[in-house]
Amino acid sequence: MTETTQRVPGARRSAAVPVPGGATVPSQEAVPGGEAPAGPLPRRPAGERGEAPGGAGGGHDAEVILERARSAVEPELRAAVTSLPASMRRIVRYHFGWEHADGTPAAGNAGKAIRPALVLTAAAALGGPAARAAAARAAAAVELVHNFTLLHDDVMDRDATRRHRPTAWKVFGDTDAILAGDALQALALRLLAEDAHPASRAAASRLAACVVELCAGQQADTALEERAPDAVTLTEVLAMAEAKTGALLGCACAVGALYAGAAGEVVEALDAFGRQAGLAFQLIDDVIGIWGDPARTGKPAGADLAVRKKSLPVVAALTSGTPAAAELAELYARPHREGEEEQAALAVERAGGRDWAQAQAADRMARAMDDLARAVPDPAAADGLLALAEFVTRRTS
């Protein structure tokens, strides 16, 4: 996108969303529960994107913002992990990609750092560079909570790979992986408890409430998996996705706002922005989970279908009332058979699940932009958050 677009506070906007392995497609269809997306998400051309107040500079490109976030947060993460008992430290360092299973150093991928980047970028948008610098420990706390959920989710979902190598439970066993996750949650709250910043208490309270919501979302997810394919509704699965994914992205944005000293209504608007962007993120993540390239995702093609996961595109397909929905329900009602993933993926697509997920992601991004405009009316100051919101719906892994 190269045109310059005037941003009007309160105006509705939406994102073009990617088809993994294909072109980026802006949705123009009405979607259940929302208005029709108005068109592609506007973004200023690179030549007109400069240093915004408190921003990341370099045109606010998401990769630049994420790299800066990783640089700011990793020392806090490493210091916190170093405080763990040696046996647990080894598991966490492996999970973060800092070490191999035998304890030797590794230069692995510790993740994209989307959540700490949201903390730091929200703080910068509202409070400038000083607020961003002050929020580094809080950003690390949010990332520790995220990785606590990953360690636990991998055990519960029996996911065998993450970031192109075996998950922690596959290497160290269920018990050690679960306990390592517990330790990360405790470390997150300790970081905030020991932070002298005046916002640390409110941030700790918010993060603790978010953990409860995350657990409720995971419990709902596992309960839905036990139900028959035709007994799950889109309303239920969207609520579950908001709790599992949207809640922590919203919390990240809200924590950044707290560290900038923002008013309560601004904090809540940024929380809403993160939640809607998080739902868009999850919708695209579920699309990638079915049609993503294993070379980019680090997971086998169709892994979600093989374990009969009731992801958002799958539930949309199952509830479509189409012949393909009946075919998919029949597949999901029996144990997985080797090589069946392609048949299931085609059934989801023919039943409209893929198109629905992409359209819904665009609609959620439109809502996120409304919330962002309420929280940060200055387009220049909001540019970094806008870049991150674009990133989460344009990724392919």
Side-chain angles (χ1 to χ4, degrees), residues 10-370:
R12 214 138 190 235
R13 298 181 293 173
S14 71
V17 288
V19 182
T24 299
V25 180
S27 172
Q28 301 296 333
E29 298 177 1
V31 294
E35 301 171 18
L41 184 70
R43 190 171 178 202
R44 294 199 301 279
E48 297 181 18
R49 282 182 265 134
E51 178 76 28
H60 284 297
D61 291 333
E63 294 291 351
V64 174
I65 297 171
L66 292 169
E67 182 55 40
R68 289 193 68 199
R70 282 190 289 268
S71 297
V73 168
E74 186 162 321
E76 297 282 356
L77 291 175
R78 286 183 178 269
V81 170
T82 298
S83 71
L84 291 173
S87 59
M88 205 167 292
R89 186 165 65 235
R90 178 184 172 195
I91 300 164
V92 173
R93 284 177 169 170
Y94 172 83
H95 169 75
F96 274 117
W98 301 336
E99 290 183 357
H100 297 294
D102 62 2
T104 57
N109 175 17
K112 296 181 178 68
I114 290 169
R115 291 152 192 83
L118 285 169
V119 175
L120 298 175
T121 308
L126 295 167
R132 183 188 188 280
R137 179 169 287 190
V142 170
E143 184 69 351
L144 287 170
V145 163
H146 173 54
N147 281 276
F148 138 69
T149 68
L150 296 182
L151 283 162
H152 282 201
D153 287 0
D154 285 344
V155 173
M156 286 182 274
D157 296 341
R158 312 314 287 170
D159 284 336
T161 58
R162 179 173 294 280
R163 299 165 185 160
H164 303 276
R165 63 180 187 163
T167 44
W169 73 267
K170 288 290 288 185
V171 176
F172 301 101
D174 290 2
T175 299
D176 282 354
I178 291 168
L179 290 171
D182 292 341
L184 291 188
Q185 182 191 168
L187 279 181
L189 294 176
R190 193 182 81 186
L191 281 182
L192 292 174
E194 294 176 352
D195 192 354
H197 194 283
S200 62
R201 181 174 178 178
S205 176
R206 197 166 196 110
L207 188 58
C210 180
V211 168
V212 173
E213 188 173 358
L214 291 169
C215 291
Q218 179 64 15
Q219 191 278 331
D221 190 18
T222 55
L224 290 175
E225 295 304 313
E226 297 299 319
R227 284 159 56 181
D230 59 355
V232 178
T233 69
L234 272 175
T235 300
E236 288 176 309
V237 78
L238 281 167
M240 176 272 294
E242 180 177 348
K244 274 194 66 173
T245 305
L248 189 54
L249 269 70
C251 181
C253 295
V255 166
L258 287 170
Y259 270 69
E265 61 270 19
V266 173
V267 174
E268 296 307 323
L270 273 187
D271 184 282
F273 159 75
R275 283 175 178 269
Q276 294 297 339
L279 267 175
F281 177 100
Q282 187 60 56
L283 285 152
I284 296 304
D285 193 66
D286 285 354
V287 170
I288 292 168
I290 299 173
W291 293 282
D293 178 1
R296 297 180 65 87
T297 65
K299 295 184 178 183
D304 287 355
L305 298 172
V307 298
R308 301 301 190 238
K309 187 171 181 63
K310 295 183 182 73
S311 63
L312 288 158
V314 166
V315 175
L318 287 169
T319 57
S320 66
T322 62
E327 177 189 349
L328 182 63
E330 184 180 339
L331 287 171
Y332 260 55
R334 67 177 189 237
H336 170 67
R337 298 172 184 171
E338 191 69 30
E340 213 171 45
E341 296 89 347
E342 185 175 353
Q343 180 186 355
L346 286 171
V348 174
E349 189 155 14
R350 288 199 307 272
R354 185 174 185 171
D355 288 343
W356 176 86
Q358 291 171 179
Q360 185 72 196
D363 181 69
R364 295 296 174 169
M365 283 300 297
R367 301 183 195 194
M369 294 305 101
D370 282 354

